[in-house]
Amino acid sequence: MGPGPVNAHPRVLRAMSADLLGQFDPEMTGYMNQVMALYRPIFGTQNQWTMLVDGTARAGIEAALVSIVAPGDTVLVVNFGRFGLLLTEILGRIGARVETVEASWGEIVPMDAIAAGIERVQPKVVATIHGDTSTSMAQPLDGLGALCAAAGALLYVDATATIGGMAIAADRWGADIVTGGLQKCLGGPSGSAPITISDKAAALIQGRKRVEAGIRRDDISDGAGPRIGSNYFDLAMIMDYWSDKRLNHHTEATSMLYAARECARIMLGEGLEARYARHEAAGRAMTAGLRAMGLTVFGDDAHRMTNVTGVFIPQGVDGERVRTMMRDAFEIEIGTAFGPLQGRIWRIGAMGYNAMKHKVLITLGALEACLRQEGFTLPAGEAVNAAMAAWDA
Amino acid sequence: MGPGPVNAHPRVLRAMSADLLGQFDPEMTGYMNQVMALYRPIFGTQNQWTMLVDGTARAGIEAALVSIVAPGDTVLVVNFGRFGLLLTEILGRIGARVETVEASWGEIVPMDAIAAGIERVQPKVVATIHGDTSTSMAQPLDGLGALCAAAGALLYVDATATIGGMAIAADRWGADIVTGGLQKCLGGPSGSAPITISDKAAALIQGRKRVEAGIRRDDISDGAGPRIGSNYFDLAMIMDYWSDKRLNHHTEATSMLYAARECARIMLGEGLEARYARHEAAGRAMTAGLRAMGLTVFGDDAHRMTNVTGVFIPQGVDGERVRTMMRDAFEIEIGTAFGPLQGRIWRIGAMGYNAMKHKVLITLGALEACLRQEGFTLPAGEAVNAAMAAWDA
């Protein structure tokens, strides 16, 4: 019950035990095409270029940024937590000129502040996190794509912590690239990064293409734009691999593709709305339970992620000792925190396969018992009661 | 029976169906430490820094090169096939000054030619492939590390196609970084890249460290060297994640770590020498069988990889039609070829779980049947006879 990675869905684990296929076997390329189709509704998009980057969620972020940002380009980062800082870090290494609009940890950046930032720095790309698990805040994104388009900027969104748990609306937001990971609300293992790319972004990326020596073909030509600084993360080549051209690039991570496919099949089988409602119920129940225990929930209620809740470690309680007791006595993991929140809050997730009523209730009951062991006074049983009521509210 | 990816060992597939763990759970970090220990004998090394990069084999190559090569550095590439070209491609994107010593496809580069190249270009790094599946040649590496060290250069070796099938001797070669992949002779899925790093290379990499904003700690300081151009492939940060510091970087790809661990356990259980002998027997049998069919084997016999064999498509036979028939009638995949060899040779693998007597014999029997369907005249049954004799030779 941490902020991810979390337990995978058993069907996903079983899917990974299927035997491997040759990477150009028609059965394999058929699965690749299925994955493209399965992830379009999950990303809320009609984008043709919807596929996987072979690496963890962070690989998806770097692939997106290195493929659309060239050295010297100005990028505006919407920074409201650790993962906003990660965007600035990756962009700095790409050689971008990085500008930020900022919020304190526990708040989001108001849309008019982003608009003013765009006006001020005239970025080529605006990059933001959707939900930042470091602070448990979800940045509102409706309207941002239109602001970017009006300024001639592309919009990149990292949805690692929300995909599968909160609605992703790439097309409605007007996002040009959105990336995610399996290991949070999609209920799979880390190691595959779903990505969707608008036609506009794809055209820019294809314009930077340099076909690899050793696999050149007459039907694929180089673009005139600046060469992409990474081979592995070159989305132009990855698109050619996922297209009918099937131009060899890396060797697709077959078992992770099976996992990504099964995550999506489970999600679409459950239904997007039902799945988002389940995460909302879990977040509502967790928050209500923590408050009924007398604890103070961290951050702005209006923009809380549904799938992770920050809660202050109460005065006089050793946060790490409680986490250890939770793990040793109950086999439940809850999360620590980063940066300015380290030692001040715990982060408790309810993501994907873990966003279930019984898991929320058991976690709250266990936390109550551990806090009591630590000498913290709290009203016995109230947390579970409050959570049961809130789940059904 | 292609040149990889190939069928995974069933134990590896089962290992991946274990449930996930939190990334700092003591059980998880214990598995990470086990992986470090398990891969040292496989790489033939005592290197402390022996771990995994989360991505395909190509990710391991890029992580190694971007972490030791800075823009403007001179790198000498030993180029004898498609994957030598890939090294030049990745290095070009890093901004290195790339020089090469070359051999025709089907030959290796003599050691005195490499020595002359080092003398000529005074490289900071020498980079080579061990076994290049595009040509089926294995580059001899004994003595190369000493040449590099005498010239003040580091030695990088890509062992993707040989690790698990031919002896890797990082310490005896004097290699500073060796990388691999699971999907060939280790009998696992693509998506995790084992890597080993000498203390000398590790010191250089640590000297380029920049700790990420948002996770800075007092006990970890930045280096003075040029910043590494990638965040995801920054081996300094990946080492801190795999060290007792456990500084958060990416979220370790748990299921792929289970797979990598099981690949290594199976290999060490079989015994390194027995495993290499099995691959030798498979290569010997495949080559003998193809010759007994009247076909011409591609490339220099003295430097042939044991686990993949190139063979000329005979005059008048449609190579792609035979590959399709092999798959449709026998469910066996054999490989096509790249670049100058495309349409001229097939590449037939016998790697990892597929380097087995019955699989070699069945493949030869199936190929004989398909060639006969194509109207090619050959001595019936001789291929399997010859392979059976050669296996035991």
Side-chain angles (χ1 to χ4, degrees), chain A residues 4-9 13-14 16-27 54-59 62 82-83 85-86 88-95 105 183-184 187-191 208-217 227-234 237 248-256 327 331 333 338-340 342, chain B residues 4-9 13-14 16-27 54-59 62 82-83 85-86 88-95 105 183-184 187-191 208-217 227-234 237 248-256 327 331 333 338-340 342:
Chain A
V6 297
N7 302 89
H9 195 292
L13 298 174
R14 285 197 292 270
M16 280 189 292
S17 65
D19 201 2
L20 306 186
L21 290 162
Q23 60 178 330
F24 300 111
D25 187 296
E27 192 177 340
D54 278 5
T56 72
R58 181 179 288 236
E62 188 159 325
R82 179 197 161 189
F83 294 99
L85 288 170
L86 176 61
T88 68
E89 153 85 17
I90 293 170
L91 286 162
R93 290 177 188 236
I94 292 169
W105 287 36
Q183 78 276 13
K184 297 183 191 272
S190 170
R208 301 180 67 183
K209 186 188 296 182
R210 297 294 185 283
V211 180
E212 217 173 279
I215 53 168
R216 292 189 175 280
R217 274 172 25 186
R227 183 168 61 169
I228 292 168
S230 167
N231 174 288
Y232 191 72
F233 291 137
D234 182 330
M237 289 201 289
N248 187 232
H249 181 243
H250 63 286
T251 298
E252 185 58 21
T254 319
S255 304
M256 289 305 306
R327 182 184 182 280
E331 290 282 343
E333 176 184 303
F338 295 114
Q342 196 166 15
Chain B
V6 297
N7 302 89
H9 195 292
L13 297 175
R14 285 197 293 271
M16 280 189 291
S17 64
D19 202 2
L20 306 186
L21 291 162
Q23 60 178 330
F24 299 111
D25 187 294
E27 191 177 339
D54 279 4
T56 72
R58 181 179 288 235
E62 188 159 325
R82 179 196 163 191
F83 293 100
L85 288 171
L86 176 61
T88 67
E89 152 85 16
I90 294 170
L91 287 161
R93 290 177 188 235
I94 292 169
W105 286 35
Q183 78 276 14
K184 297 182 189 275
S190 171
R208 300 180 67 182
K209 186 188 298 183
R210 298 294 186 284
V211 181
E212 216 173 279
I215 54 169
R216 291 188 174 280
R217 273 172 26 186
R227 182 168 63 168
I228 293 167
S230 167
N231 173 288
Y232 191 72
F233 291 136
D234 182 330
M237 290 202 288
N248 187 231
H249 181 242
H250 62 286
T251 298
E252 185 58 20
T254 319
S255 304
M256 288 306 306
R327 184 185 181 278
E331 289 282 342
E333 177 184 302
F338 296 115
Q342 196 166 15

Side-chain angles (χ1 to χ4, degrees), chain B residues 3-342:
Chain B
V6 297
N7 302 89
H9 195 292
R11 271 178 57 189
V12 175
L13 297 175
R14 285 197 293 271
M16 280 189 291
S17 64
D19 202 2
L20 306 186
L21 291 162
Q23 60 178 330
F24 299 111
D25 187 294
E27 191 177 339
M28 177 69 184
T29 54
Y31 289 141
M32 291 172 77
N33 290 342
Q34 286 178 15
V35 164
M36 297 179 86
L38 286 163
Y39 275 89
R40 288 190 190 106
I42 292 173
F43 275 117
T45 189
Q46 305 287 331
N47 289 338
Q48 164 68 12
W49 298 112
T50 303
M51 52 197 190
L52 304 175
V53 172
D54 279 4
T56 72
R58 181 179 288 235
I61 300 172
E62 188 159 325
L65 294 177
V66 78
S67 294
I68 56 172
V69 176
D73 285 349
T74 299
V75 181
L76 181 69
V77 172
V78 181
N79 178 16
F80 58 101
R82 179 196 163 191
F83 293 100
L85 288 171
L86 176 61
L87 298 181
T88 67
E89 152 85 16
I90 294 170
L91 287 161
R93 290 177 188 235
I94 292 169
R97 196 168 72 82
V98 182
E99 301 277 351
T100 61
V101 283
E102 311 256 347
S104 300
W105 286 35
E107 297 171 13
I108 56 92
V109 183
M111 195 60 76
D112 54 2
I114 304 177
I118 293 173
E119 178 68 23
R120 176 170 56 86
V121 308
Q122 298 289 316
K124 185 178 161 191
V125 173
V126 175
T128 186
I129 305 295
H130 182 213
D132 195 317
T133 52
S134 70
T135 70
S136 76
M137 292 296 107
Q139 176 70 36
L141 295 172
D142 269 320
L144 183 52
L147 279 179
C148 291
L154 295 178
L155 173 59
Y156 166 72
V157 178
D158 168 41
T160 301
T162 49
I163 189 169
M166 294 179 72
I168 308 300
D171 289 356
R172 197 185 73 224
W173 294 339
D176 291 287
I177 305 191
V178 184
T179 63
L182 305 188
Q183 78 276 14
K184 297 182 189 275
C185 301
L186 283 169
S190 171
S192 179
I195 186 170
T196 190
I197 305 168
S198 72
D199 289 348
K200 188 164 62 170
L204 180 147
I205 294 165
Q206 293 285 355
R208 300 180 67 182
K209 186 188 298 183
R210 298 294 186 284
V211 181
E212 216 173 279
I215 54 169
R216 291 188 174 280
R217 273 172 26 186
D218 292 343
D219 60 333
I220 307 176
S221 53
D222 286 348
R227 182 168 63 168
I228 293 167
S230 167
N231 173 288
Y232 191 72
F233 291 136
D234 182 330
L235 290 175
M237 290 202 288
I238 295 173
M239 285 189 265
D240 280 348
Y241 181 46
W242 283 74
S243 79
D244 291 342
K245 294 173 191 155
R246 298 290 172 204
L247 191 66
N248 187 231
H249 181 242
H250 62 286
T251 298
E252 185 58 20
T254 319
S255 304
M256 288 306 306
L257 180 127
Y258 296 162
R261 174 174 174 271
E262 197 67 10
C263 286
R265 282 158 45 92
I266 291 166
M267 176 157 174
L268 297 180
E270 179 175 4
L272 300 185
E273 294 314 315
R275 191 172 180 103
Y276 301 142
R278 176 163 64 80
H279 281 84
E280 275 172 25
R284 204 164 56 228
M286 188 71 82
T287 306
L290 293 168
R291 285 181 168 145
M293 242 182 258
L295 302 181
T296 305
V297 172
F298 173 78
D300 174 6
D301 261 336
H303 299 106
R304 189 177 306 294
M305 293 167 67
T306 57
N307 47 56
V308 60
T309 307
V311 60
F312 284 99
I313 300 164
Q315 198 90 39
V317 168
D318 182 326
E320 282 308 290
R321 206 158 60 197
V322 169
R323 292 207 322 125
T324 301
M325 202 186 308
M326 286 287 284
R327 184 185 181 278
D328 288 349
F330 294 96
E331 289 282 342
I332 295 171
E333 177 184 302
I334 63 171
T336 178
F338 296 115
L341 299 177
Q342 196 166 15

Side-chain angles (χ1 to χ4, degrees), chain A residues 78-154:
Chain A
V78 181
N79 178 17
F80 57 101
R82 179 197 161 189
F83 294 99
L85 288 170
L86 176 61
L87 298 181
T88 68
E89 153 85 17
I90 293 170
L91 286 162
R93 290 177 188 236
I94 292 169
R97 197 168 72 81
V98 183
E99 301 278 350
T100 60
V101 283
E102 311 257 347
S104 300
W105 287 36
E107 297 170 13
I108 54 93
V109 183
M111 195 59 75
D112 55 2
I114 303 176
I118 292 173
E119 178 69 22
R120 177 171 55 85
V121 310
Q122 297 290 315
K124 184 177 161 192
V125 172
V126 174
T128 187
I129 305 295
H130 182 212
D132 194 318
T133 52
S134 71
T135 70
S136 76
M137 292 295 108
Q139 176 70 35
L141 295 172
D142 270 319
L144 183 52
L147 280 178
C148 291
L154 295 178

